[in-house]
């Protein structure tokens, strides 16, 4: 986490910073590395060092009132670090729940007892979480401030809550965790302003339990003790015999109050994601997840073969995945599936056949997908299977042979968010350690004259567009509950500039509020994050705030009306409620609704 710029005093370096900033402002364009280094050598930090980009941005914001600088947005854009992180239109903030017993016994799952189940302490997101001892407020505020100091806008935040099985945590912990995330988003602007003025340093918020004090480990070769035994015992030792403490509790009223504040906050939650297992979803859990404010659920398929699931002690069958998908889609959630090739009991041919079911059968067809080839971690039970020859990792060519046809099979309505988990190579005992394997796959496809059609391969990201030259195309497909329409904005080169997911159910829906409704499940316009107060044209090429989202909603209204629906619901995130009110939607208990007028007889 890059927060060092919040721990130095820009006023102490004012003379040098003014020199650096004025030199950058005088340039005609963003400085390349050589030009920036030349400027930094002219104005060294404390006479000997070099300012980081985040320190320069911090200095600009603190010193601007003294020197009359008024072009912050343009200046920051010149120095923005890792711009791809917000190129898809939102600022993703990932936080982890604390280590906690897990209902699963998957043989491939790591058993790092200092992390929530399946995560490893050296993964980047896990390291950030550990710095705050898994405190949700500290993690959220720290990540927002890190984005800000590196020049990224955080008006539109996608909160991604990872760690173990969300649905296995007590309800009181769930409500408290999310309430604290919203509290951090609501406090961001105040804390940011204090720090930018030079009146405060980066705040430290940490949880009460230091999991680094846990001295035990789990050895996958022997499994003489389980993850649940070690973590459960440690939690009870720290919390008077309980798995959660009284401090990790909030009421629904407190959460709903935080929701209302966030509707108009500077950092608004435009998407809230949790991850869980198929066998821990029922109607009550789906209602609870929606009441928490969630809009997307990550769910582990891992395999669509009962035989493979059983061989890996997954703990559920494919029927459970089908039921979970029906519940989630009926409730309007966006669905982000995980799938794992190279599991025990499978092989490259079976993996390719298994993948074809994901999009070939209406019961599945997720909106997003992570492909995680099985990695061998020493703490996983799979170590014993490797040692006695029951399992082996695929070779590079075998893995490539699986992933090429899989990536080609992904339809244009799905986004493959990741291929290969971000596990440090030192944690992988054997097998693939190439983290950019997607690039390897895409390069191989390109050499054959082929290309993926998934969303990530075709989105415009930060490229300039001409809204007047876009065309709106629907893509329709069947799901287990009815018909899905994927409305998409495409440019002359077929790049994806925005989309809307419209569900037209024909099967019974278990939620009374939306029993007879068409459902907008997602509206997304790509391009660099545009602030809520930004106008339609401030001189920067972008696609947000050009009316593209409104026109997508108009298309959904027209289609739902033509299909005979009299109500159009939207699974709005907390921070988008105000936007949908402006489009004629009114608040319901869990969704927002727009009444549809029947078409006129002459239409």
């Amino acid at each position: 986490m890059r927060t060092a710029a919040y721990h130095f005093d820009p006023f102490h370096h004012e003379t040098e910073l003014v020199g650096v900033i004025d030199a950058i402002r005088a340039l005609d364009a963003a400085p390349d590395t050589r030009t920036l280094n030349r400027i930094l050598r002219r104005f060294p930090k404390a006479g000997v060092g070099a300012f980081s980009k985040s320190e320069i941005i911090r200095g600009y914001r603190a010193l601007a009132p003294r020197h009359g600088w008024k072009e912050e947005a343009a200046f920051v854009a010149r120095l923005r670090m890792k711009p791809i992180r917000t190129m898809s239109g939102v600022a993703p903030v990932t936080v982890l729940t604390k280590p906690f017993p897990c209902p699963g016994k998957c043989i491939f799952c790591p058993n790092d007892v200092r992390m929530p189940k399946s995560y490893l302490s050296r993964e980047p997101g896990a390291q950030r979480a550990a710095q705050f001892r898994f405190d949700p407020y500290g993690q959220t505020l720290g990540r927002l401030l890190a984005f800000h100091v590196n020049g990224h806008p955080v008006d539109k935040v996608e909160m991604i809550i990872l760690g173990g099985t969300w649905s296995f945590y007590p309800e009181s912990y769930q409500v408290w965790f999310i309430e604290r995330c919203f509290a951090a988003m609501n406090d961001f602007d105040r804390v940011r302003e204090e720090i930018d003025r030079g009146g405060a340093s980066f705040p430290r918020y940490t949880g009460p339990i230091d999991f680094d004090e846990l001295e035990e480990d789990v050895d996958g070769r022997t499994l003489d003790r389980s993850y649940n035994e070690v973590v459960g015992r440690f939690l009870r030792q720290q919390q008077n015999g309980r798995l959660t403490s009284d401090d990790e509790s909030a009421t629904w009223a407190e959460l709903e109050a935080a929701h209302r504040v966030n509707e108009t906050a500077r950092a608004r939650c435009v998407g809230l994601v949790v991850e869980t297992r198929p066998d821990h979803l029922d109607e009550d859990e789906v209602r609870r997840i929606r009441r928490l404010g969630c809009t997307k659920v990550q769910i582990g398929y891992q395999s669509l073969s009962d035989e493979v699931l059983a061989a890996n002690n997954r703990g559920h069958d494919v029927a459970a995945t089908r039921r979970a998908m029906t519940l989630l889609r009926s409730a309007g959630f966006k669905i982000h599936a995980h799938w794992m090739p190279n599991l025990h009991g499978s092989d490259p041919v079976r993996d390719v056949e298994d993948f074809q079911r994901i999009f070939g059968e209406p019961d599945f067809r997720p909106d997003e997908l992570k492909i995680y080839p099985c990695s061998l971690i020493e703490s996983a039970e799979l170590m014993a299977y490797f040692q006695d020859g029951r399992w082996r990792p695929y070779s590079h060519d075998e893995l490539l042979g699986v992933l090429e046809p899989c990536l080609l099979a992904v339809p244009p309505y799905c986004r493959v968010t990741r291929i290969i988990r971000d596990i440090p190579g030192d944690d992988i005992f054997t097998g693939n350690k190439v983290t950019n394997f997607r690039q390897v796959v895409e390069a191989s496809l390109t050499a054959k004259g082929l290309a993926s059609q998934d969303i990530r391969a075709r989105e415009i990201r930060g490229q300039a567009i001409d809204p007047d030259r876009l065309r709106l195309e629907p893509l329709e497909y069947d799901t287990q509950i009815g018909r899905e329409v994927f409305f998409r904005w495409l440019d002359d080169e077929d790049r994806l500039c925005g989309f809307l997911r419209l569900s037209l159910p024909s099967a019974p829906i278990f939620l009374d509020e939306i029993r007879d409704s068409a459902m907008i499940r997602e509206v997304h316009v790509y391009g660099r994050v545009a602030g809520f107060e930004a106008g339609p044209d401030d001189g920067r090429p972008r696609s947000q705030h050009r009316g593209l989202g409104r026109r997508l909603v108009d298309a959904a209204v027209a289609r739902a009306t033509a299909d005979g629906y009299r109500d159009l619901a939207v699974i709005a995130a907390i921070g988008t409620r105000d936007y949908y009110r402006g489009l004629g939607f009114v608040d319901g208990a869990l969704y927002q609704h727009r009444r549809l007028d029947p078409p006129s007889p002459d239409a």
Side-chain angles (χ1 to χ4, degrees):
M1 179 180 57
R2 300 188 177 189
T3 56
Y6 281 128
H7 299 293
F8 93 114
D9 182 0
F11 298 102
H12 181 70
H13 303 279
E14 182 169 5
T15 300
E16 305 100 304
L17 280 169
V18 169
V20 171
I21 291 167
D22 280 343
I24 294 173
R25 293 175 65 232
L27 298 174
D28 294 330
D32 57 25
T33 301
R34 179 177 297 180
T35 301
L36 181 59
N37 286 340
R38 186 166 57 247
I39 293 172
L40 295 176
R41 285 194 296 270
R42 286 171 53 200
F43 304 99
K45 177 182 175 183
V48 292
F51 293 102
S52 67
K53 287 184 178 180
S54 57
E55 288 172 339
I56 297 170
I57 293 171
R58 166 81 168 97
Y60 184 100
R61 288 167 170 155
L63 300 172
R66 292 192 184 194
H67 297 274
W69 302 325
K70 299 184 182 300
E71 70 279 14
E72 178 181 329
F75 181 85
V76 170
R78 290 187 172 192
L79 292 178
R80 182 175 290 115
M81 299 171 63
K82 297 186 178 180
I84 196 170
R85 286 182 174 171
T86 54
M87 204 69 79
S88 290
V90 297
V93 174
T94 300
V95 298
L96 269 66
T97 52
K98 72 177 182 180
F100 197 78
C102 177
K105 297 180 180 179
C106 311
I107 65 172
F108 52 78
C109 193
N111 289 291
D112 187 336
V113 295
R114 292 159 194 83
M115 286 288 130
K117 195 68 161 72
S118 88
Y119 288 87
L120 294 165
S121 56
R122 285 192 283 188
E123 292 181 85
Q127 288 181 332
R128 291 194 297 266
Q131 289 178 358
F132 293 99
R133 299 183 183 177
F134 305 98
D135 175 71
Y137 185 95
Q139 290 183 72
T140 303
L141 186 59
R143 196 70 182 127
L144 291 172
L145 291 172
F147 270 127
H148 177 68
V149 78
N150 289 317
H152 294 271
V154 293
D155 299 72
K156 300 171 184 175
V157 178
E158 182 180 35
M159 283 296 312
I160 305 169
I161 300 173
L162 303 179
T165 300
W166 172 261
S167 302
F168 197 64
Y169 286 85
E171 179 180 297
S172 58
Y173 180 86
Q174 293 182 10
V175 175
W176 168 79
F177 195 96
I178 291 183
E179 190 276 332
R180 297 311 295 156
C181 291
F182 273 95
M185 285 185 278
N186 295 341
D187 288 348
F188 164 74
D189 202 34
R190 173 184 57 79
V191 177
R192 187 255 340 146
E193 186 175 357
E194 292 175 359
I195 293 174
D196 282 350
R197 289 200 310 261
S201 60
F202 182 79
R204 297 292 188 185
Y205 299 98
T206 60
I209 300 178
D210 184 0
F211 286 89
D212 286 339
E213 295 179 358
L214 206 171
E215 297 181 353
E216 294 182 76
D217 283 301
V218 173
D219 187 340
R221 298 174 179 85
T222 62
L223 282 183
D224 56 346
R225 62 180 67 85
S226 71
Y227 174 95
N228 287 357
E229 290 170 341
V230 174
V231 171
R233 181 166 57 248
F234 183 72
L235 287 173
R236 291 185 178 94
Q237 288 171 351
Q238 300 291 317
Q239 297 176 150
N240 299 317
R242 300 167 57 191
L243 293 176
T244 58
S245 71
D246 291 334
D247 292 335
E248 297 172 331
S249 178
T251 66
W252 283 102
E254 289 170 327
L255 174 59
E256 289 158 4
H259 282 172
R260 289 191 291 272
V261 173
N262 192 253
E263 290 180 13
T264 55
R266 168 74 177 273
R268 299 181 203 173
C269 181
V270 299
L272 180 58
V273 189
V274 296
E275 63 175 348
T276 193
R277 290 168 53 97
D279 53 331
H280 275 70
L281 283 174
D282 57 22
E283 292 182 2
D284 288 341
E285 177 64 6
V286 170
R287 286 190 185 91
R288 177 164 45 249
I289 290 175
R290 179 60 196 136
R291 188 179 177 189
L292 290 167
C294 296
T295 55
K296 182 193 299 184
V297 175
Q298 296 197 35
I299 185 169
Y301 290 4
Q302 316 313 5
S303 174
L304 294 179
S305 162
D306 282 338
E307 182 181 350
V308 172
L309 291 174
N312 288 270
N313 290 344
R314 177 62 179 165
H316 67 78
D317 57 12
V318 179
T321 303
R322 295 181 192 274
R323 287 192 296 271
M325 288 293 295
T326 299
L327 289 171
L328 292 174
R329 198 180 295 277
S330 296
F333 286 100
K334 293 168 283 293
I335 302 168
H336 193 165
H338 300 182
W339 179 76
M340 296 182 67
N342 200 185
L343 289 174
H344 172 54
S346 191
D347 58 53
V349 173
R350 293 181 68 181
D351 279 341
V352 174
E353 292 174 349
D354 194 75
F355 191 87
Q356 301 302 319
R357 299 186 189 101
I358 295 178
F359 298 105
E361 298 186 22
D363 284 355
F364 306 112
R365 297 181 175 169
D367 307 303
E368 299 182 28
L369 181 66
K370 290 179 180 177
I371 301 176
Y372 284 160
C374 185
S375 296
L376 182 59
I377 310 300
E378 282 193 84
S379 61
E381 185 181 350
L382 189 64
M383 276 294 296
Y385 290 66
F386 171 72
Q387 289 187 313
D388 65 19
R390 284 178 288 171
W391 177 88
R392 68 170 180 84
Y394 292 164
S395 68
H396 180 280
D397 289 344
E398 285 177 317
L399 187 55
L400 183 62
V402 170
L403 295 180
E404 277 191 11
C406 289
L407 196 56
L408 287 175
V410 179
Y413 61 78
C414 181
R415 188 176 199 268
V416 179
T417 57
R418 182 178 288 276
I419 294 178
I420 307 297
R421 232 180 108 176
D422 193 13
I423 298 175
D426 291 344
D427 284 326
I428 299 175
F429 186 80
T430 186
N432 173 70
K433 297 185 180 182
V434 179
T435 57
N436 68 331
F437 212 97
R438 177 171 184 142
Q439 292 176 266
V440 175
V441 176
E442 290 177 336
S444 179
L445 292 175
T446 299
K448 299 174 182 178
L450 303 171
S452 170
Q453 295 300 303
D454 87 293
I455 288 174
R456 190 170 183 265
R458 300 170 58 240
E459 66 188 24
I460 63 159
R461 300 195 176 187
Q463 301 173 62
I465 65 168
D466 181 354
D468 296 329
R469 300 188 63 177
L470 299 182
R471 67 184 188 277
L472 183 62
E473 287 190 358
L475 172 65
E476 300 191 24
Y477 56 98
D478 290 325
T479 70
Q480 68 273 65
I481 67 166
R483 194 74 170 160
E484 188 86 13
V485 185
F486 182 71
F487 288 104
R488 50 191 173 159
W489 284 116
L490 300 173
D491 67 4
D492 293 339
E493 300 176 20
D494 282 342
R495 296 178 302 179
L496 185 65
C497 302
F499 63 83
L500 180 148
R501 301 184 189 275
L502 174 67
S503 177
L504 301 169
S506 55
I509 302 299
F510 72 93
L511 289 162
D512 290 339
E513 182 181 341
I514 55 171
R515 189 176 301 278
D516 300 312
S517 303
M519 173 70 71
I520 293 176
R521 297 193 301 116
E522 182 177 14
V523 179
H524 197 117
V525 176
Y526 283 107
R528 191 178 306 284
V529 175
F532 286 106
E533 297 178 357
D537 186 6
D538 62 359
R540 291 179 293 167
R542 66 185 182 198
S543 53
Q544 293 185 333
H545 296 306
R546 297 289 187 93
L548 298 180
R550 179 183 293 270
R551 291 162 66 186
L552 285 167
V553 172
D554 288 343
V557 167
R559 177 56 188 272
T561 301
D563 278 28
Y565 292 90
R566 296 296 168 259
D567 181 76
L568 177 62
V570 59
I571 184 167
I574 303 304
T576 63
R577 286 175 175 173
D578 213 35
Y579 169 77
Y580 285 109
R581 289 173 189 138
L583 297 181
F585 289 80
V586 297
D587 297 351
L590 297 177
Y591 302 86
Q592 290 179 292
H593 301 264
R594 178 166 163 176
R595 185 66 184 167
L596 303 179
D597 296 324
S600 64
D602 299 329

